[in-house]
Amino acid sequence: MSNLFRFGVSLEKELLEKFDKLINERNYPNRSEAFRDLIRQELVKEEWREGKEVAGAITLIYNHHKRELLDKLTDIQHDFQKIVLSTQHIHLDHNNCLEIIAVKGNPKEVKKLSDTLRSIKGVKHGTLSMSSTGRDII
Ligand code: NI
């Protein structure tokens, strides 16, 4: 652990109390781990901003009965085959499907794929989880 550095942080009492409440709610074991996580969150945001290779997941909820929609979703994923790692399809109930698409690649391409899929008629809800390849995050 010789590469661990300590430094002091000055905070207003009220802000520190809010921070402690937050990290307690999120089950961080201590302030250091919570602080590390905050830094990592910002570093990942930078990866997306700077156009580094990123990873993530697109989640879609859509109507199972719209057959043309299924074809569209598949066609688009083939068009973006370079960044689609895998797709998991879950039959939520009689009417609804959940699809999770794992992606890795250029942030602009990933966002374009996500926007294209989410804007298709019949897609009820879509999210993009913007994560990292983990290579540059300690
Ligand atoms: Ni299904």
Side-chain angles (χ1 to χ4, degrees):
M1 289 290 196
S2 58
N3 65 346
L4 268 187
F5 286 86
R6 283 179 171 274
F7 64 99
V9 178
S10 303
L11 284 181
E12 286 78 9
K13 185 174 176 280
E14 208 178 40
L15 193 58
L16 183 61
E17 282 169 0
K18 283 185 178 174
F19 186 60
D20 283 343
K21 186 172 176 276
L22 187 80
I23 66 178
N24 187 44
E25 283 167 3
R26 295 187 184 175
N27 288 321
Y28 284 105
N30 51 54
R31 286 175 183 157
S32 291
E33 194 50 45
F35 201 63
R36 280 183 207 112
D37 216 26
L38 284 176
I39 294 170
R40 289 189 202 106
Q41 294 288 343
E42 288 307 309
L43 291 174
V44 172
K45 278 187 198 168
E46 274 305 297
E47 289 182 352
W48 281 78
R49 258 196 297 268
E50 290 170 1
K52 288 184 176 173
E53 188 179 56
V54 293
I58 300 164
T59 314
L60 303 170
I61 305 291
Y62 58 86
N63 189 329
H64 157 80
H65 298 292
K66 298 201 171 176
R67 294 289 156 184
E68 71 284 7
L69 170 64
L70 291 172
D71 285 344
K72 261 189 204 166
L73 290 173
T74 308
D75 287 349
I76 291 164
Q77 288 184 56
H78 276 269
D79 290 343
F80 286 83
Q81 177 259 326
K82 266 191 187 170
I83 59 172
V84 174
L85 298 174
S86 82
T87 302
Q88 186 177 20
H89 182 106
I90 297 125
H91 314 300
L92 276 184
D93 58 31
H94 183 70
N95 300 314
N96 296 293
C97 300
L98 162 64
E99 200 151 306
I100 303 163
I101 304 155
V103 289
K104 187 173 88 171
N106 176 278
K108 272 188 186 163
E109 284 291 295
V110 171
K111 280 182 186 167
K112 194 176 165 198
L113 172 60
S114 173
D115 290 343
T116 306
L117 293 169
R118 288 160 70 178
S119 63
I120 296 171
K121 196 176 173 222
V123 173
K124 295 180 178 182
H125 188 245
T127 59
L128 170 60
S129 167
M130 298 161 79
S131 192
S132 167
T133 62
R135 283 196 292 264
D136 297 324
I137 308 293
I138 298 149

